[in-house]
Amino acid sequence: MRLVVMADTHVPKRARDLPAPLWDAVDRADVVVHAGDWADVPLLDALEQRAKRLIALYGNNDGPALRARLPETARAELAGLRVAVIHETGPAAGRERRCATLFADSDVLFFGHSHIPWDTTAPSGLRLLNPGSPTDRRRQPYATFLTAEIKDGGLSAVELHRIGG
């Protein structure tokens, strides 16, 4: 199962649209995950139409129209992998411990908010992944998104894709 993960797209405030390499990844993916901060409804509509399956939630910058259609957290089982998605996890210090407690029933937690790519594993085995932002790199050298594969209940081939730079 092919997976593409994005967050903090902020379309159309930070970009008019998603970058072409990300749309290409969406078209190839079996599941698309968006960890919040869309900024406006048209991108949600476009991803719902284009993605084979979309797992999505709202972020702190998303207004009433997006909050009416999306949850604050999302959970799914994908090919035996227990996935959780949240926008904000709080400060980096203590993140693994906090998230391992909050998402004890999950194998992987995708999150956003910081625009900073993150890949760590809590002592409990929970893997925490932040794809960064494909449109607003802030203090990062590149805009980014993630792809991965899910097979036999495990996550593999996790790749951070750089855009521009």
Side-chain angles (χ1 to χ4, degrees), residues 2 16 19 27 32 45-46 57 73 79 91 93 101 107 118 124 137 158:
R2 291 170 299 196
R16 290 182 182 198
D27 290 340
V32 174
D45 293 338
L57 51 86
T73 61
T101 299
D107 301 310
W118 185 278
S124 68
R137 62 184 181 87
V158 175

Side-chain angles (χ1 to χ4, degrees), residues 28-140:
R28 291 189 308 273
D30 297 303
V31 179
V32 174
V33 175
H34 192 302
D37 272 8
W38 301 76
D40 205 358
V41 171
L43 179 59
L44 172 58
D45 293 338
L47 275 173
E48 284 179 334
Q49 290 176 2
R50 238 165 129 167
K52 291 178 183 87
R53 179 175 179 188
L54 178 63
I55 299 170
L57 51 86
Y58 67 80
N60 62 298
N61 284 303
D62 296 328
L66 286 159
R67 289 172 187 243
R69 291 176 56 185
L70 296 167
E72 184 176 10
T73 61
R75 295 175 190 267
E77 187 171 319
L78 303 172
L81 185 74
R82 299 170 304 164
V83 173
V85 188
I86 193 165
H87 182 64
E88 188 172 351
T89 60
R95 177 176 286 146
E96 287 80 9
R97 181 185 46 75
R98 272 192 321 277
C99 291
T101 299
L102 291 170
F103 298 96
D105 61 345
S106 300
D107 301 310
V108 176
L109 173 65
F110 295 113
F111 66 99
H113 187 63
S114 68
H115 299 218
I116 299 170
W118 185 278
D119 184 354
T120 59
T121 303
S124 68
L126 176 70
R127 187 158 181 191
L128 294 89
L129 290 161
N130 184 328
S133 171
T135 57
D136 184 13
R137 62 184 181 87
R138 288 198 182 158
R139 296 172 303 279
Q140 301 305 300

